[in-house]
Amino acid sequence: MDRKTSASPQFSEERRARILEELQAKGRVEVPGLARLLEVSEHTIRRDLLDLQAQGKLHKTHGGAVTLDTARLDFAARSSVQVSAKLAIGQLAATLIEPGQTVIIDAGSTSLSLARALVARPLTIITNALDVAALFDRDPQVQLVLTGGSWQPQSRALWGPAACEMLARCRADWAVPGACAVDLRMGTTVTDEADAATKQAMIAAATRTLILADHTKLDKVSPFGVAQWHQVHTLVSDRPWPELAALGVQVLVTPAD
C-alpha cells in the first residue's frame, strides 16, 4: 500500500491547503505552530510558505505568514507586511509637507512611515496615534497636538466622539487618514464605523487630503466609507493608477526598486 511522504505532490498540496485554511481562520500563522500541527519540519513549512507567497496566496513574514486581507490584522501584523513599499511611500509623501504647515496624521503603519520621514520644520502635528506622537514629543520645532478619544489597542489609535470633537476645532494644511482599502468607484474605506467617522473628521479639518496605499489595498472595498475621490488631493502608492489620475487626483508613484 502506498504511503504519502513529505515529498509526495499530493501530500504537499493537502498540507498547503491546510495552511491556507488556518490562515483564513486566524489571519496569521507561525512556522513552529504549523510544523507541530502538520507533523513536518519547520524547513518544510518555510518552503510551503515561500511557494504559497509566489502563488500570490499570502504574505510571508519573519517567522510565519499573514493573510492578504491585511485589514483584518492588528497593527503589529500589518507592520510586517509590504515593509519596503510602506517605507518608500512614506518617504515620497513626506516631500509634500512644507515648513510651517499643519498636518493631521492618522494611526497606521504607512502613516508612521510618513511621520518618520518628515524633515520639514517647523511643523504642527495633530495625531490620534501615540506611536506618531512619540516621534515628536521632544522636538522643539514641532507643536504636537493629540486628539483624545477612546484607545483602540488593536489599531493603536484614538477614535470616537471625543476625537471627532477635537478635530472639528482644528484646521490643517494636510490630512493623512489611513485606508484599509481603495477602489476607483467606492473611494477609500475601512473596517470600523468609529474609525471611519474619525477619519472623516480629519478630512473635514484639512485643506488637502493625502492617501497612502500600497498595491495590496488597491481595487478593494471595506464596509465603511471614508472619502470619495473628489475629496482627495493626492494618492501615493507603489503602483501607477492612471484611471484615478483621470479623475483629477494627483497620483505619485514610488521609484522602482
Side-chain angles (χ1 to χ4, degrees):
M1 181 176 180
D2 292 338
R3 296 178 61 190
K4 294 177 185 176
T5 69
S6 59
S8 164
Q10 184 177 1
F11 185 87
S12 298
E13 291 171 5
E14 292 174 354
R15 187 176 64 242
R16 291 168 189 173
R18 183 66 186 278
I19 290 171
L20 292 175
E21 288 176 3
E22 288 291 303
L23 192 59
Q24 182 176 8
K26 300 176 180 178
R28 65 185 302 175
V29 291
E30 296 181 353
V31 170
L34 289 173
R36 289 192 298 270
L37 176 67
L38 299 174
E39 299 181 332
V40 294
S41 70
E42 293 187 7
H43 173 75
T44 297
I45 295 298
R46 291 190 186 94
R47 187 175 65 239
D48 286 340
L49 295 180
L50 284 171
D51 288 343
L52 289 168
Q53 178 174 256
Q55 296 171 31
K57 295 182 178 179
L58 52 74
H59 291 294
K60 190 178 182 304
T61 63
H62 180 71
V66 296
T67 176
L68 290 172
D69 183 10
T70 55
R72 295 175 50 199
L73 304 175
D74 61 19
F75 181 85
R78 291 198 307 273
S79 297
S80 67
V81 175
Q82 298 294 322
V83 175
S84 60
K86 291 175 181 178
L87 177 63
I89 289 169
Q91 290 173 339
L92 179 56
T95 66
L96 299 173
I97 310 304
E98 299 177 358
Q101 290 189 327
T102 297
V103 187
I104 303 173
I105 303 179
D106 196 6
S109 54
T110 315
S111 300
L112 188 58
S113 292
L114 163 66
R116 287 174 174 150
L118 283 175
V119 295
R121 295 292 189 279
L123 289 175
T124 297
I125 302 294
I126 303 170
T127 186
N128 66 334
L130 299 189
D131 296 311
V132 171
L135 297 175
F136 304 106
D137 65 340
R138 298 187 181 184
D139 191 326
Q141 295 192 76
V142 173
Q143 180 180 9
L144 179 63
V145 180
L146 286 169
T147 64
S150 299
W151 177 243
Q152 307 295 324
Q154 184 175 15
S155 298
R156 298 193 60 76
L158 294 162
W159 295 348
C164 292
E165 290 169 10
M166 173 60 186
L167 287 163
R169 298 195 293 271
C170 296
R171 295 295 179 267
D173 297 283
W174 290 97
V176 191
C180 296
V182 291
D183 177 78
L184 194 64
R185 187 170 69 89
M186 302 301 294
T188 67
T189 54
V190 294
T191 58
D192 187 278
E193 185 176 13
D195 184 24
T198 304
K199 295 179 193 307
Q200 289 166 354
M202 292 178 179
I203 292 170
T207 303
R208 288 168 287 185
T209 297
L210 171 61
I211 300 297
L212 313 178
D214 66 74
H215 68 275
T216 65
K217 297 181 179 181
L218 305 187
D219 297 317
K220 294 182 180 178
V221 179
S222 290
F224 297 98
V226 172
Q228 293 294 318
W229 291 117
H230 71 270
Q231 299 173 278
V232 175
H233 181 274
T234 302
L235 170 81
V236 182
S237 184
D238 58 339
R239 295 282 176 86
W241 201 355
E243 296 86 355
L244 182 60
L247 296 180
V249 177
Q250 180 183 36
V251 178
L252 302 181
V253 182
T254 58
D257 293 336

